[in-house]
Every structure is written in structure tokens, then in C-alpha cells.
């Protein structure tokens, strides 16, 4: 598709010449999804620097029928920010809208532009003596608007909740160009429908988030981290329950790592090695934190591990004695996705089941995929403390990457059928995007799908806002 020059000139008058990208080389970085599963085309990337500019651009597109794909840091894993392949859509990128508008440490809130990098939001909160707890692997490049649009999860959900739980108010440009100003820094606002929750997790299909009021928390002054070897996979929930009970629910993170994950990280990631002397089948990375200066976190932490050893829940453990050691332990968990890339093709599943059934799910799913595709190497890991398992399956060493990845749909059916039998979810934190639209339609109840489609039709009747994502 080639846009009329008058349309491009009209947009350029709104956002400035530097806010319109039409050169192929400039556009290229916006067209490819993180994992390389989706690649799109567009004649124009629009980069507004204000909410009013976003509103003006969207209004023109609504009047002319031009479809818009909102994009933040483009770190998503389901193709939600990638345009169609026919070049009929434009990208509206929010990276120039990157200001912290206000910090209120007394109210424990921060108000930010949607294009703020997550790490910058964390740093601004820290400078104000507070904590913004959302933390994930892409935090150095993902943008808070994208985090909100996908309801991102990360490592601290067990303690602080998903992104949905961290937002008090939103500013949104609607598909017709109107601006909804819901930037209320209130813990309690019971005046009708919670409109902000319509847009959190909607992946830009109902409007473009341009600003947000986010919750802050007291900054932790004490942290303890341990890397533990489990006796059996079934002991993961026993250890989690004891950790929560004995710590006064101070568990910030509780991550599961398989032996295969340790091996590939040590093999492919510089500076990573096995923290324990002997190999074990399963490991957990546990972290406690507190904002109480007088809290003796270490004593309680050591007490937990002693009890777990005595009861045979864990076989071994190492406690980080410095920030450098803590970072080295976390490096194992954070390096897992990169290490997997070096082992060949990986069919990935971002699923959740009730925490109590995590061991059962992993056991059943591993047996099922190994029976269906002999030689595959399952690598289930992740935020087991909130029931979210990244059930990734690495290709057999004797099979080519392309042949293996062609089995993605059949592997999905095996894994997702088990998830749904357990009343789980086929997308725990990555969203639907383009990748899982048909998969969601396969599993969701008709009433639920009808409600979603009714919302889409009511708010975006012309279907110009990120079409083809989430709902078909």
C-alpha cells in the first residue's frame, strides 16, 4: 500500500517531520517480532510526542479508514504490535512520549507517559525512595504502555500482582480520537464501571494508552535470596507454602528451574555455572524482601531452609552472601530464554494452572510431549509461585529446526488440552496478539467470546484499532 502524499503531509504537520518515518531502513526495526515469528509491512511509522498529537492522528485515521497498530518497545512475544503483511496498516509508536509526569511519594503513586521505559520508571521510583515492583527480562527496553496493554507479569507477581494490579488510572485515546482522561490517583473510586480495566490487557484493540497512574510501594531495605535443590518436583508447592507461612508472606519471588535449564545456561551463557556441587532434577530460586529496617530477615530465611532440609523437601541450598552473588543466581533464571535459542528450535507455551497443580501439570505435560515427539527436551521453568509455567520444549538434537517448529500446532494441542483440563489459561502473561487468536477461540466459552466481540464492536465499530489481534 502507498499512502497518499497529502495524508502523510497531514500527519507530518501534527507530529513534525521527525515524527514520520517513511524510509524503509528507518521502518525496518518496527516490523519484526522479538522471536521472529511475525514480520509485517507498513508505509509509515508515526511517532507522536504528546497525547494531543496521538488524538489528532487517530482522528484522521478514523475518518479515512486507515488502520493503526500501536507499538511500544516491540518486545512482545505474540505479534501484537506487528502490522499485517499487506502493508495496509500504519504503526503508531509511543517511544517519544517518555516523561515522568509526577511522583507523589506520600500517595505512593507515579504518573508517567506510556512511552517510558520500564527500567526508567523503576529508577524514578527508587530515586523518590519508593519501589515500582514490575520487573521482567525486557525491562531495559519495554515501555510501560505496552506492559499495561498486555497486562505483563514478571518475577514479582506473587507479592505485588500483575500490571493490572499496579495501575490506578489511565489516559487513553479512543478509536475515534477522543481522549478519555482517567488519570485518578485513587485507591478507591466506585463511580460505575472500572473503565481502566477494559484497556489493561486489551493489546491496543480498544484504544491507545498514553499515560498512567501507577502504584508505588515502600522500598525494600532487606533482601535474602537462595538457590535450592528440590528432592522431588512435588516438593515445590510444599516449599512455597512453608516459605510464605514462615516469612509472614515476605516471599517476593519463587522461580522454578529444571536441570536442563542449568546445563544449557552453563553451556551457552558466559559467567554462569552450577551454584551447587551435585546435579539435581529441579531447583527453586527464592527471594524474601522487607521494608522494615528492624526485621531479621536472614534468621527467618535460614530457619526456613533448615526446616526444609530436615523434612526432606530440599536436598541442598546456597544463600547469596552479597549483591554480586544474588545477581549471579538471578542470571541463571534470566538467561534461560537466551540459552534456549542456542539449543535450536523451541516450541513455547506461556500457561498457568492453580499453584497446587503445578507439579501435576509439569509431570503430565512432559510425559505427553515426550511420548508424542520422542527426543524432545522439555524445559519447564518460571514463576511457579503464581502458577505461571513457561513450558518450553527444545527440539531433539537429531531433528532440524524447521522440521521441528512445523509441529508447533500439534504440540500446542497436547499442552493446552492438559492446561484446560486443569482449569488453567493458555496465556498467563504474554497476551494473545496474533499468535493465539485461533487457539483462544478454540478453548474459550462462546459467551465469553461474544462479550469480548461486543466490547470491540461497541468501542471500535470501524475496527481500525489494531485489527486481527485478540479478537478476530
Amino acid at each position: 500500500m502507498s499512502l497518499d502524499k497529502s495524508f502523510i503531509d497531514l500527519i507530518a504537520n501534527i507530529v513534525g517531520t521527525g515524527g514520520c518515518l517513511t524510509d524503509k531502513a528507518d521502518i525496518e526495526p518496527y516490523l519484526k517480532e522479538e522471536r521472529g515469528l511475525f514480520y509485517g509491512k507498513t508505509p509509515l511509522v508515526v511517532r507522536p510526542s504528546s497525547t494531543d498529537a496521538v488524538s489528532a492522528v487517530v482522528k484522521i485515521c478514523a475518518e479515512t479508514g486507515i488502520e493503526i497498530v500501536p507499538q511500544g518497545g516491540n518486545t512482545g512475544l505474540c505479534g501484537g504490535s506487528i502490522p499485517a503483511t499487506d502493508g495496509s496498516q500504519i504503526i503508531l509508536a509511543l517511544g517519544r512520549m517518555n516523561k515522568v509526569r509526577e511522583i507523589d511519594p506520600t500517595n505512593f503513586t507515579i504518573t508517567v507517559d506510556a512511552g517510558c521505559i520500564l527500567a526508567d520508571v523503576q529508577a524514578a521510583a527508587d530515586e523518590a525512595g519508593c519501589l515500582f515492583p514490575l520487573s521482567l527480562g525486557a525491562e531495559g527496553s519495554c515501555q510501560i504502555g505496552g506492559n499495561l496493554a498486555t497486562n505483563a507479569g514478571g518475577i514479582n507477581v506473587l507479592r505485588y500482582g500483575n500490571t493490572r494490579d499496579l495501575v490506578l488510572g489511565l489516559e487513553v485515546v479512543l478509536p475515534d480520537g477522543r481522549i478519555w482522561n482517567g488519570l485518578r490517583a485513587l485507591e478507591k473510586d466506585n463511580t460505575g464501571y472500572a473503565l481502566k480495566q477494559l484497556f489493561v490487557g486489551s493489546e491496543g484493540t480498544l484504544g491507545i494508552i498514553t499515560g498512567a497512574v501507577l502504584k508505588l510501594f515502600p522500598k525494600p531495605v532487606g533482601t535474602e535470596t537462595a538457590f535450592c535443590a528440590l528432592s522431588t518436583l512435588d516438593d515445590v508447592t510444599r516449599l512455597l507454602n512453608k516459605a510464605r507461612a514462615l516469612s509472614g508472606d515476605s516471599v517476593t519471588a519463587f522461580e522454578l528451574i529444571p536441570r536442563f535449564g542449568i546445563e544449557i545456561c552453563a553451556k551457552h551463557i558466559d559467567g554462569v555455572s552450577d551454584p551447587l556441587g551435585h546435579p539435581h532434577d529441579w531447583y527453586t530460586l527464592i527471594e524474601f524482601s522487607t521494608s522494615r529496617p528492624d526485621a531479621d530477615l536472614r534468621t527467618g530465611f535460614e530457619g526456613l531452609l533448615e526446616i526444609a532440609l530436615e523434612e526432606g523437601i530440599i536436598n541442598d541450598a546456597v544463600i547469596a552472601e552479597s549483591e554480586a552473588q544474588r545477581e549471579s543466581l538471578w542470571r541463571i533464571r534470566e538467561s534461560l530464554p537466551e540459552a534456549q535459542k542456542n539449543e535450536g528450535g523451541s516450541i513455547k507455551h506461556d500457561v498457568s494452572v492453580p499453584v497446587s497443580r503445578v507439579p501435576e501439570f509439569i509431570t503430565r505435560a512432559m510425559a505427553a510431549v515426550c511420548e508424542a515427539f520422542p527426543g524432545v527436551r522439555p524445559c519447564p521453568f518460571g514463576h511457579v509461585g503464581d502458577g505461571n509455567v513457561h513450558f518450553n520444549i527444545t527440539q531433539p538434537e537429531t531433528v532440524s529446526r524447521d522440521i521441528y517448529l512445523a509441529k508447533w500446532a500439534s504440540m500446542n494441542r497436547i499442552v493446552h488440552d492438559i492446561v484446560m483440563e486443569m482449569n488453567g489459561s493458555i496465556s498467563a502473561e504474554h497476551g494473545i496478539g496474533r499468535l493465539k487468536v485461533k487457539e483462544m477461540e478454540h478453548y474459550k466459552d462462546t459467551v465469553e467470546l461474544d462479550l469480548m466481540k461486543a466490547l470491540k464492536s461497541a468501542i471500535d465499530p470501524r475496527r481500525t484499532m489494531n485489527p486481527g489481534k485478540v479478537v478476530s
Side-chain angles (χ1 to χ4, degrees), residues 349-354 361 387-389 415-416 418-432 436 440 443-444:
H349 303 88
D350 164 46
V351 300
S352 62
V353 295
F361 162 70
N388 180 191
V389 179
V415 175
H416 290 163
I418 295 172
V419 168
M420 298 310 292
E421 285 175 22
M422 295 185 173
N423 202 25
S425 170
I426 64 168
S427 181
E429 64 177 0
H430 292 166
I432 298 299
K436 297 181 181 179
M440 185 177 71
Y443 288 109
K444 267 198 183 295

Side-chain angles (χ1 to χ4, degrees), residues 82 92 120 135 187 227 242-243 306 321 337 404 451 463 469:
I82 303 301
L92 193 147
D120 293 340
S135 180
E187 285 283 355
F227 195 86
K242 282 195 177 295
E306 287 173 6
E321 298 292 346
Y404 175 65
L451 286 170
R463 305 184 78 83
K469 319 293 172 56

Side-chain angles (χ1 to χ4, degrees), residues 35 37 260 337 340-341 343-351 369 373 376-381 389-396 399-416 430 435-436 439:
R35 295 196 298 224
L37 297 177
F260 178 63
Q340 280 191 297
K341 291 178 183 178
E343 283 292 314
S346 177
I347 296 177
K348 303 177 186 298
H349 303 88
D350 164 46
V351 300
V369 297
F373 305 100
V376 296
R377 296 170 290 167
C379 187
F381 67 94
V389 179
H390 297 298
F391 193 82
N392 296 353
I393 313 161
T394 298
Q395 69 177 70
V399 175
S400 74
R401 183 180 187 275
D402 290 343
I403 290 175
Y404 175 65
L405 292 182
K407 301 179 184 295
W408 198 298
S410 54
M411 196 78 86
N412 275 354
R413 189 62 62 243
I414 292 171
V415 175
H416 290 163
H430 292 166
L435 180 65
K436 297 181 181 179
E439 197 73 356

Side-chain angles (χ1 to χ4, degrees), residues 137-392:
E139 61 192 30
S141 54
C142 65
Q143 297 172 14
I144 196 66
N147 300 144
L148 289 160
T150 57
N151 187 30
I155 62 174
N156 292 331
V157 172
L158 172 63
R159 179 78 169 273
Y160 298 103
N162 285 301
T163 308
R164 184 182 299 282
D165 303 303
L166 302 176
V167 60
L168 292 175
L170 292 180
E171 176 185 78
V172 180
V173 174
L174 301 174
D176 60 5
R178 289 181 298 163
I179 300 170
W180 172 56
N181 185 350
L183 291 175
R184 302 181 186 94
L186 302 173
E187 285 283 355
K188 290 185 174 181
D189 179 3
N190 211 9
T191 54
Y193 302 131
L195 296 179
K196 66 186 178 187
Q197 298 296 0
L198 289 179
F199 300 99
V200 178
S202 69
E203 301 186 47
T205 60
L206 301 179
I208 300 173
I209 296 171
T210 53
V213 182
L214 306 170
K215 293 182 184 179
L216 300 179
F217 295 83
K219 186 194 297 188
V221 295
T223 301
E224 295 290 346
T225 307
F227 195 86
C228 306
L230 296 173
S231 294
T232 69
L233 180 58
D234 288 335
D235 287 319
V236 66
T237 49
R238 291 179 63 198
L239 181 59
L240 174 62
N241 288 344
K242 282 195 177 295
R244 295 188 68 175
L246 295 179
S247 70
D249 219 4
S250 296
V251 185
T252 307
F254 194 93
E255 299 284 311
L256 180 70
I257 302 171
R259 179 64 197 174
F260 178 63
I262 300 290
E263 292 172 350
I264 61 175
C265 283
K267 178 180 177 182
H268 297 294
I269 307 299
D270 290 342
V272 170
S273 60
D274 188 342
L276 302 174
H278 302 284
H280 303 270
D281 290 338
W282 298 98
Y283 304 85
T284 57
L285 183 60
I286 310 173
E287 190 156 278
F288 289 7
S289 67
T290 181
S291 59
R292 286 181 52 195
D294 60 341
D296 187 4
L297 204 61
R298 181 60 175 256
T299 299
F301 201 56
E302 291 176 343
L304 163 69
L305 298 181
E306 287 173 6
I307 291 172
L309 280 166
E310 289 172 2
E311 296 185 4
I313 298 173
I314 63 175
N315 287 328
D316 199 359
V318 59
I319 301 177
E321 298 292 346
S322 66
E323 181 60 24
Q325 287 184 343
R326 175 182 175 271
E327 290 176 358
S328 71
L329 294 179
W330 272 107
R331 184 166 167 75
I332 298 170
R333 166 62 183 87
E334 292 166 349
S335 299
L336 258 171
E338 183 63 30
Q340 280 191 297
K341 291 178 183 178
N342 291 289
E343 283 292 314
S346 177
I347 296 177
K348 303 177 186 298
H349 303 88
D350 164 46
V351 300
S352 62
V353 295
V355 174
S356 60
R357 304 192 73 178
V358 166
E360 177 192 355
F361 162 70
I362 292 175
T363 300
R364 286 181 58 187
M366 286 180 65
V369 297
C370 288
E371 180 181 359
F373 305 100
V376 296
R377 296 170 290 167
C379 187
F381 67 94
H383 324 302
V384 68
D386 56 45
N388 180 191
V389 179
H390 297 298
F391 193 82
N392 296 353

